[in-house]
Amino acid sequence: MTTTEQPASLISTLPGHYYTDPAVFALEQSHVFEDMWFCAVRSGDLAKPGSFKKVQVGRESVLVVRGRDGQLRAFLNICRHRGAQICTEESGATNRAFRCPYHAWTYDLEGKLIAAPNLTKMPDIDRIEYGLVTVALREWLGYAWVCLAKEPPSFEHDVMGDVVERLGSVEAIEHYDLDSLSVGRRVTYDVQANWKLIIENFMECYHCATIHPELTEVLPEFADGYAAQFFVGHGAEFGDDVKGFTVDGGEGFDRLPGVDEDHDRRYYAITVKPTVFINLVPDHVIFHRMFPVSADRTIVECDWLYTHDVVESGRDVSRSVELFHRVNEQDFAACERTQPAMSSRAYANGGVLVPSEHHIGAFHEWLTQRLSR
């Protein structure tokens, strides 16, 4: 077989096995999901003391719980006695404590061991030392982010840094005041595709004219194939006749209080590695969290966030939800069409990126460097 030199306009993608090999996925679990800040849960979902959520982070089950002091904490969902999972429910609420269903070791909401059969006959047991294993937790943008690493990396550098790299400053996203917004709609998607295919798709708009007719009507510049993420601080402008970020381009809601005229009628997209997408529009925010399950399956949870008044008053959010719900379904269908080809001999050495996709190459470099540690 003869080979030709690759044109300068094209750069190579990752080889196909990066999207199919369980060994690669295992490395990603240990070097990416378990070593980095992972966006676990919307803080407002755990509003009352005792409310909890079980989250899979890499290979670990993590329990995020609201303490009686109002603070969110995270623990490994593992009993210190014989390793049974403390909570088998996905979410719920407890009055005062978590009780292991195996041998009844019991822990308070701060993780301290408070009871166990015959515990009083074992006075040498340190109840804090044998409490639940603590996981680092930070709250930002209204979400709880957890990190399993013994020495968590800088949140400011890794998480906030991705926002700064895209928008130019942290203040640019804080104007949207995500902490104060309420979930108007949540949709969970079970995508039969590798998590990296979903990220790569979100980062580029070369496909937009082909599969996103509704989106390109609202954001005409996307039809040219250049994603907003390609340029630092750039927001895609709404079309001249578009009144709001809705499925039909009709009126949305009033601008979020902190959004100024310079950011009105513009859409900003941000990728926060490894598993978060944030979409900013004047009247709401769309926040995606990915939960990679295997090399060929990813759960994506998407929140549509609005002002408290919009949600509490029962305003109809369906037209703004429908626009990006269609985008999600179109994107995920494309990823699912792509996943089987990742194991083809035609893709053994990978594919190529055109100039409007070259920034995806930086994501590939970042990933391979992490996996080679």
Side-chain angles (χ1 to χ4, degrees), residues 82-108:
R82 297 272 296 282
Q85 281 204 352
I86 300 291
C87 285
T88 55
E89 304 94 339
E90 291 301 311
S91 61
T94 183
N95 288 330
R96 292 182 178 275
F98 295 101
R99 184 173 183 268
C100 177
Y102 192 7
H103 294 95
W105 278 38
T106 304
Y107 307 85
D108 68 15

PDB file of all heavy atoms in Angstrom, residues 82-108:
ATOM      1  N   ARG A  82     -16.558  -3.992  56.771  1.00  0.00           N
ATOM      2  CA  ARG A  82     -16.287  -5.071  55.813  1.00  0.00           C
ATOM      3  C   ARG A  82     -16.547  -4.657  54.369  1.00  0.00           C
ATOM      4  O   ARG A  82     -16.600  -5.506  53.481  1.00  0.00           O
ATOM      5  CB  ARG A  82     -17.150  -6.295  56.171  1.00  0.00           C
ATOM      6  CG  ARG A  82     -16.845  -6.918  57.533  1.00  0.00           C
ATOM      7  CD  ARG A  82     -15.755  -7.957  57.448  1.00  0.00           C
ATOM      8  NE  ARG A  82     -16.196  -9.084  56.606  1.00  0.00           N
ATOM      9  CZ  ARG A  82     -17.022 -10.052  57.015  1.00  0.00           C
ATOM     10  NH1 ARG A  82     -17.492 -10.049  58.260  1.00  0.00           N
ATOM     11  NH2 ARG A  82     -17.370 -11.023  56.198  1.00  0.00           N
ATOM     12  N   GLY A  83     -16.720  -3.342  54.141  1.00  0.00           N
ATOM     13  CA  GLY A  83     -16.749  -2.853  52.771  1.00  0.00           C
ATOM     14  C   GLY A  83     -18.081  -2.849  52.062  1.00  0.00           C
ATOM     15  O   GLY A  83     -18.132  -2.581  50.862  1.00  0.00           O
ATOM     16  N   ALA A  84     -19.171  -3.106  52.767  1.00  0.00           N
ATOM     17  CA  ALA A  84     -20.480  -3.043  52.104  1.00  0.00           C
ATOM     18  C   ALA A  84     -20.807  -1.598  51.741  1.00  0.00           C
ATOM     19  O   ALA A  84     -20.368  -0.657  52.403  1.00  0.00           O
ATOM     20  CB  ALA A  84     -21.565  -3.603  53.020  1.00  0.00           C
ATOM     21  N   GLN A  85     -21.577  -1.410  50.667  1.00  0.00           N
ATOM     22  CA  GLN A  85     -22.053  -0.071  50.347  1.00  0.00           C
ATOM     23  C   GLN A  85     -23.036   0.376  51.425  1.00  0.00           C
ATOM     24  O   GLN A  85     -23.956  -0.354  51.786  1.00  0.00           O
ATOM     25  CB  GLN A  85     -22.731  -0.033  48.978  1.00  0.00           C
ATOM     26  CG  GLN A  85     -21.767   0.008  47.804  1.00  0.00           C
ATOM     27  CD  GLN A  85     -22.395   0.616  46.566  1.00  0.00           C
ATOM     28  OE1 GLN A  85     -23.586   0.883  46.517  1.00  0.00           O
ATOM     29  NE2 GLN A  85     -21.588   0.816  45.542  1.00  0.00           N
ATOM     30  N   ILE A  86     -22.840   1.608  51.893  1.00  0.00           N
ATOM     31  CA  ILE A  86     -23.729   2.162  52.909  1.00  0.00           C
ATOM     32  C   ILE A  86     -25.113   2.430  52.322  1.00  0.00           C
ATOM     33  O   ILE A  86     -26.137   2.041  52.868  1.00  0.00           O
ATOM     34  CB  ILE A  86     -23.149   3.473  53.486  1.00  0.00           C
ATOM     35  CG1 ILE A  86     -21.792   3.220  54.130  1.00  0.00           C
ATOM     36  CG2 ILE A  86     -24.125   4.100  54.472  1.00  0.00           C
ATOM     37  CD1 ILE A  86     -21.853   2.402  55.388  1.00  0.00           C
ATOM     38  N   CYS A  87     -25.124   3.126  51.190  1.00  0.00           N
ATOM     39  CA  CYS A  87     -26.389   3.477  50.530  1.00  0.00           C
ATOM     40  C   CYS A  87     -26.490   2.736  49.206  1.00  0.00           C
ATOM     41  O   CYS A  87     -25.575   2.811  48.378  1.00  0.00           O
ATOM     42  CB  CYS A  87     -26.478   4.975  50.285  1.00  0.00           C
ATOM     43  SG  CYS A  87     -26.816   5.922  51.761  1.00  0.00           S
ATOM     44  N   THR A  88     -27.588   2.066  49.017  1.00  0.00           N
ATOM     45  CA  THR A  88     -27.857   1.425  47.724  1.00  0.00           C
ATOM     46  C   THR A  88     -28.841   2.242  46.907  1.00  0.00           C
ATOM     47  O   THR A  88     -28.914   2.090  45.692  1.00  0.00           O
ATOM     48  CB  THR A  88     -28.395   0.007  47.929  1.00  0.00           C
ATOM     49  OG1 THR A  88     -29.556   0.060  48.772  1.00  0.00           O
ATOM     50  CG2 THR A  88     -27.340  -0.876  48.588  1.00  0.00           C
ATOM     51  N   GLU A  89     -29.602   3.124  47.572  1.00  0.00           N
ATOM     52  CA  GLU A  89     -30.522   4.003  46.847  1.00  0.00           C
ATOM     53  C   GLU A  89     -29.733   5.084  46.111  1.00  0.00           C
ATOM     54  O   GLU A  89     -28.686   5.522  46.572  1.00  0.00           O
ATOM     55  CB  GLU A  89     -31.514   4.673  47.803  1.00  0.00           C
ATOM     56  CG  GLU A  89     -32.313   3.711  48.656  1.00  0.00           C
ATOM     57  CD  GLU A  89     -31.662   3.477  50.009  1.00  0.00           C
ATOM     58  OE1 GLU A  89     -30.438   3.729  50.124  1.00  0.00           O
ATOM     59  OE2 GLU A  89     -32.371   3.028  50.930  1.00  0.00           O
ATOM     60  N   GLU A  90     -30.259   5.538  44.979  1.00  0.00           N
ATOM     61  CA  GLU A  90     -29.584   6.586  44.214  1.00  0.00           C
ATOM     62  C   GLU A  90     -29.617   7.915  44.957  1.00  0.00           C
ATOM     63  O   GLU A  90     -28.677   8.705  44.893  1.00  0.00           O
ATOM     64  CB  GLU A  90     -30.236   6.741  42.835  1.00  0.00           C
ATOM     65  CG  GLU A  90     -29.998   5.568  41.905  1.00  0.00           C
ATOM     66  CD  GLU A  90     -28.523   5.313  41.651  1.00  0.00           C
ATOM     67  OE1 GLU A  90     -27.800   6.289  41.335  1.00  0.00           O
ATOM     68  OE2 GLU A  90     -28.085   4.160  41.785  1.00  0.00           O
ATOM     69  N   SER A  91     -30.712   8.180  45.643  1.00  0.00           N
ATOM     70  CA  SER A  91     -30.846   9.428  46.389  1.00  0.00           C
ATOM     71  C   SER A  91     -31.928   9.253  47.435  1.00  0.00           C
ATOM     72  O   SER A  91     -32.679   8.273  47.412  1.00  0.00           O
ATOM     73  CB  SER A  91     -31.200  10.600  45.448  1.00  0.00           C
ATOM     74  OG  SER A  91     -32.443  10.366  44.802  1.00  0.00           O
ATOM     75  N   GLY A  92     -32.001  10.201  48.360  1.00  0.00           N
ATOM     76  CA  GLY A  92     -33.014  10.109  49.394  1.00  0.00           C
ATOM     77  C   GLY A  92     -32.696  11.041  50.534  1.00  0.00           C
ATOM     78  O   GLY A  92     -31.982  12.029  50.370  1.00  0.00           O
ATOM     79  N   ALA A  93     -33.243  10.713  51.702  1.00  0.00           N
ATOM     80  CA  ALA A  93     -33.021  11.536  52.890  1.00  0.00           C
ATOM     81  C   ALA A  93     -33.017  10.638  54.118  1.00  0.00           C
ATOM     82  O   ALA A  93     -33.717   9.624  54.166  1.00  0.00           O
ATOM     83  CB  ALA A  93     -34.102  12.599  53.018  1.00  0.00           C
ATOM     84  N   THR A  94     -32.197  11.012  55.079  1.00  0.00           N
ATOM     85  CA  THR A  94     -32.136  10.307  56.353  1.00  0.00           C
ATOM     86  C   THR A  94     -32.224  11.332  57.464  1.00  0.00           C
ATOM     87  O   THR A  94     -31.800  12.484  57.293  1.00  0.00           O
ATOM     88  CB  THR A  94     -30.844   9.481  56.477  1.00  0.00           C
ATOM     89  OG1 THR A  94     -30.858   8.763  57.702  1.00  0.00           O
ATOM     90  CG2 THR A  94     -29.610  10.364  56.418  1.00  0.00           C
ATOM     91  N   ASN A  95     -32.777  10.942  58.599  1.00  0.00           N
ATOM     92  CA  ASN A  95     -32.960  11.900  59.686  1.00  0.00           C
ATOM     93  C   ASN A  95     -31.646  12.307  60.331  1.00  0.00           C
ATOM     94  O   ASN A  95     -31.336  13.489  60.458  1.00  0.00           O
ATOM     95  CB  ASN A  95     -33.900  11.323  60.748  1.00  0.00           C
ATOM     96  CG  ASN A  95     -35.333  11.266  60.275  1.00  0.00           C
ATOM     97  OD1 ASN A  95     -35.744  12.091  59.463  1.00  0.00           O
ATOM     98  ND2 ASN A  95     -36.096  10.314  60.772  1.00  0.00           N
ATOM     99  N   ARG A  96     -30.852  11.300  60.729  1.00  0.00           N
ATOM    100  CA  ARG A  96     -29.659  11.633  61.492  1.00  0.00           C
ATOM    101  C   ARG A  96     -28.412  10.845  61.105  1.00  0.00           C
ATOM    102  O   ARG A  96     -27.309  11.247  61.413  1.00  0.00           O
ATOM    103  CB  ARG A  96     -29.917  11.408  62.993  1.00  0.00           C
ATOM    104  CG  ARG A  96     -30.912  12.377  63.591  1.00  0.00           C
ATOM    105  CD  ARG A  96     -31.088  12.144  65.079  1.00  0.00           C
ATOM    106  NE  ARG A  96     -32.011  13.120  65.651  1.00  0.00           N
ATOM    107  CZ  ARG A  96     -31.670  14.326  66.059  1.00  0.00           C
ATOM    108  NH1 ARG A  96     -30.404  14.713  65.972  1.00  0.00           N
ATOM    109  NH2 ARG A  96     -32.570  15.148  66.568  1.00  0.00           N
ATOM    110  N   ALA A  97     -28.584   9.683  60.481  1.00  0.00           N
ATOM    111  CA  ALA A  97     -27.414   8.817  60.311  1.00  0.00           C
ATOM    112  C   ALA A  97     -27.590   7.864  59.140  1.00  0.00           C
ATOM    113  O   ALA A  97     -28.710   7.658  58.637  1.00  0.00           O
ATOM    114  CB  ALA A  97     -27.189   8.016  61.597  1.00  0.00           C
ATOM    115  N   PHE A  98     -26.460   7.274  58.720  1.00  0.00           N
ATOM    116  CA  PHE A  98     -26.437   6.224  57.702  1.00  0.00           C
ATOM    117  C   PHE A  98     -26.077   4.910  58.392  1.00  0.00           C
ATOM    118  O   PHE A  98     -25.063   4.839  59.101  1.00  0.00           O
ATOM    119  CB  PHE A  98     -25.418   6.545  56.608  1.00  0.00           C
ATOM    120  CG  PHE A  98     -25.761   7.764  55.808  1.00  0.00           C
ATOM    121  CD1 PHE A  98     -25.131   8.970  56.058  1.00  0.00           C
ATOM    122  CD2 PHE A  98     -26.720   7.699  54.810  1.00  0.00           C
ATOM    123  CE1 PHE A  98     -25.451  10.095  55.328  1.00  0.00           C
ATOM    124  CE2 PHE A  98     -27.047   8.825  54.068  1.00  0.00           C
ATOM    125  CZ  PHE A  98     -26.418  10.025  54.336  1.00  0.00           C
ATOM    126  N   ARG A  99     -26.887   3.900  58.169  1.00  0.00           N
ATOM    127  CA  ARG A  99     -26.689   2.607  58.827  1.00  0.00           C
ATOM    128  C   ARG A  99     -26.355   1.555  57.776  1.00  0.00           C
ATOM    129  O   ARG A  99     -27.117   1.347  56.830  1.00  0.00           O
ATOM    130  CB  ARG A  99     -27.954   2.207  59.580  1.00  0.00           C
ATOM    131  CG  ARG A  99     -27.870   0.927  60.398  1.00  0.00           C
ATOM    132  CD  ARG A  99     -29.154   0.768  61.204  1.00  0.00           C
ATOM    133  NE  ARG A  99     -29.128  -0.394  62.080  1.00  0.00           N
ATOM    134  CZ  ARG A  99     -29.590  -1.597  61.733  1.00  0.00           C
ATOM    135  NH1 ARG A  99     -30.134  -1.786  60.526  1.00  0.00           N
ATOM    136  NH2 ARG A  99     -29.547  -2.603  62.589  1.00  0.00           N
ATOM    137  N   CYS A 100     -25.189   0.926  57.936  1.00  0.00           N
ATOM    138  CA  CYS A 100     -24.798  -0.116  56.986  1.00  0.00           C
ATOM    139  C   CYS A 100     -25.796  -1.270  57.068  1.00  0.00           C
ATOM    140  O   CYS A 100     -26.063  -1.790  58.168  1.00  0.00           O
ATOM    141  CB  CYS A 100     -23.387  -0.608  57.301  1.00  0.00           C
ATOM    142  SG  CYS A 100     -22.859  -1.965  56.219  1.00  0.00           S
ATOM    143  N   PRO A 101     -26.330  -1.713  55.927  1.00  0.00           N
ATOM    144  CA  PRO A 101     -27.328  -2.786  55.956  1.00  0.00           C
ATOM    145  C   PRO A 101     -26.745  -4.168  56.233  1.00  0.00           C
ATOM    146  O   PRO A 101     -27.509  -5.131  56.382  1.00  0.00           O
ATOM    147  CB  PRO A 101     -27.932  -2.721  54.544  1.00  0.00           C
ATOM    148  CG  PRO A 101     -26.862  -2.139  53.687  1.00  0.00           C
ATOM    149  CD  PRO A 101     -26.122  -1.174  54.563  1.00  0.00           C
ATOM    150  N   TYR A 102     -25.414  -4.279  56.334  1.00  0.00           N
ATOM    151  CA  TYR A 102     -24.776  -5.585  56.541  1.00  0.00           C
ATOM    152  C   TYR A 102     -24.600  -5.887  58.039  1.00  0.00           C
ATOM    153  O   TYR A 102     -25.201  -6.816  58.581  1.00  0.00           O
ATOM    154  CB  TYR A 102     -23.435  -5.603  55.808  1.00  0.00           C
ATOM    155  CG  TYR A 102     -22.769  -6.959  55.666  1.00  0.00           C
ATOM    156  CD1 TYR A 102     -23.382  -8.142  56.044  1.00  0.00           C
ATOM    157  CD2 TYR A 102     -21.485  -7.043  55.119  1.00  0.00           C
ATOM    158  CE1 TYR A 102     -22.762  -9.363  55.897  1.00  0.00           C
ATOM    159  CE2 TYR A 102     -20.840  -8.263  54.962  1.00  0.00           C
ATOM    160  CZ  TYR A 102     -21.484  -9.420  55.357  1.00  0.00           C
ATOM    161  OH  TYR A 102     -20.855 -10.639  55.213  1.00  0.00           O
ATOM    162  N   HIS A 103     -23.778  -5.070  58.737  1.00  0.00           N
ATOM    163  CA  HIS A 103     -23.517  -5.327  60.149  1.00  0.00           C
ATOM    164  C   HIS A 103     -23.941  -4.171  61.054  1.00  0.00           C
ATOM    165  O   HIS A 103     -23.584  -4.137  62.228  1.00  0.00           O
ATOM    166  CB  HIS A 103     -22.029  -5.605  60.381  1.00  0.00           C
ATOM    167  CG  HIS A 103     -21.546  -6.868  59.756  1.00  0.00           C
ATOM    168  ND1 HIS A 103     -20.951  -6.883  58.512  1.00  0.00           N
ATOM    169  CD2 HIS A 103     -21.572  -8.164  60.187  1.00  0.00           C
ATOM    170  CE1 HIS A 103     -20.615  -8.138  58.206  1.00  0.00           C
ATOM    171  NE2 HIS A 103     -20.984  -8.937  59.198  1.00  0.00           N
ATOM    172  N   ALA A 104     -24.676  -3.222  60.481  1.00  0.00           N
ATOM    173  CA  ALA A 104     -25.289  -2.126  61.254  1.00  0.00           C
ATOM    174  C   ALA A 104     -24.301  -1.122  61.824  1.00  0.00           C
ATOM    175  O   ALA A 104     -24.620  -0.414  62.784  1.00  0.00           O
ATOM    176  CB  ALA A 104     -26.175  -2.691  62.367  1.00  0.00           C
ATOM    177  N   TRP A 105     -23.083  -1.027  61.262  1.00  0.00           N
ATOM    178  CA  TRP A 105     -22.228   0.092  61.643  1.00  0.00           C
ATOM    179  C   TRP A 105     -22.940   1.355  61.174  1.00  0.00           C
ATOM    180  O   TRP A 105     -23.436   1.424  60.042  1.00  0.00           O
ATOM    181  CB  TRP A 105     -20.848  -0.033  60.985  1.00  0.00           C
ATOM    182  CG  TRP A 105     -19.917  -0.957  61.725  1.00  0.00           C
ATOM    183  CD1 TRP A 105     -20.236  -2.119  62.335  1.00  0.00           C
ATOM    184  CD2 TRP A 105     -18.518  -0.750  61.918  1.00  0.00           C
ATOM    185  NE1 TRP A 105     -19.120  -2.693  62.898  1.00  0.00           N
ATOM    186  CE2 TRP A 105     -18.040  -1.872  62.665  1.00  0.00           C
ATOM    187  CE3 TRP A 105     -17.617   0.235  61.539  1.00  0.00           C
ATOM    188  CZ2 TRP A 105     -16.701  -2.001  63.033  1.00  0.00           C
ATOM    189  CZ3 TRP A 105     -16.278   0.102  61.902  1.00  0.00           C
ATOM    190  CH2 TRP A 105     -15.826  -0.999  62.655  1.00  0.00           C
ATOM    191  N   THR A 106     -22.967   2.366  62.038  1.00  0.00           N
ATOM    192  CA  THR A 106     -23.792   3.545  61.793  1.00  0.00           C
ATOM    193  C   THR A 106     -22.933   4.805  61.886  1.00  0.00           C
ATOM    194  O   THR A 106     -22.114   4.956  62.799  1.00  0.00           O
ATOM    195  CB  THR A 106     -24.936   3.601  62.825  1.00  0.00           C
ATOM    196  OG1 THR A 106     -25.680   2.375  62.752  1.00  0.00           O
ATOM    197  CG2 THR A 106     -25.867   4.773  62.541  1.00  0.00           C
ATOM    198  N   TYR A 107     -23.153   5.721  60.938  1.00  0.00           N
ATOM    199  CA  TYR A 107     -22.342   6.928  60.819  1.00  0.00           C
ATOM    200  C   TYR A 107     -23.249   8.157  60.813  1.00  0.00           C
ATOM    201  O   TYR A 107     -24.331   8.138  60.195  1.00  0.00           O
ATOM    202  CB  TYR A 107     -21.534   6.904  59.519  1.00  0.00           C
ATOM    203  CG  TYR A 107     -20.699   5.648  59.338  1.00  0.00           C
ATOM    204  CD1 TYR A 107     -21.252   4.495  58.777  1.00  0.00           C
ATOM    205  CD2 TYR A 107     -19.367   5.612  59.735  1.00  0.00           C
ATOM    206  CE1 TYR A 107     -20.494   3.330  58.617  1.00  0.00           C
ATOM    207  CE2 TYR A 107     -18.598   4.460  59.583  1.00  0.00           C
ATOM    208  CZ  TYR A 107     -19.172   3.328  59.021  1.00  0.00           C
ATOM    209  OH  TYR A 107     -18.423   2.190  58.871  1.00  0.00           O
ATOM    210  N   ASP A 108     -22.809   9.231  61.460  1.00  0.00           N
ATOM    211  CA  ASP A 108     -23.612  10.454  61.413  1.00  0.00           C
ATOM    212  C   ASP A 108     -23.381  11.193  60.102  1.00  0.00           C
ATOM    213  O   ASP A 108     -22.605  10.736  59.241  1.00  0.00           O
ATOM    214  CB  ASP A 108     -23.349  11.339  62.641  1.00  0.00           C
ATOM    215  CG  ASP A 108     -21.946  11.952  62.684  1.00  0.00           C
ATOM    216  OD1 ASP A 108     -21.247  11.949  61.649  1.00  0.00           O
ATOM    217  OD2 ASP A 108     -21.552  12.438  63.764  1.00  0.00           O
TER     218      ASP A 108
END
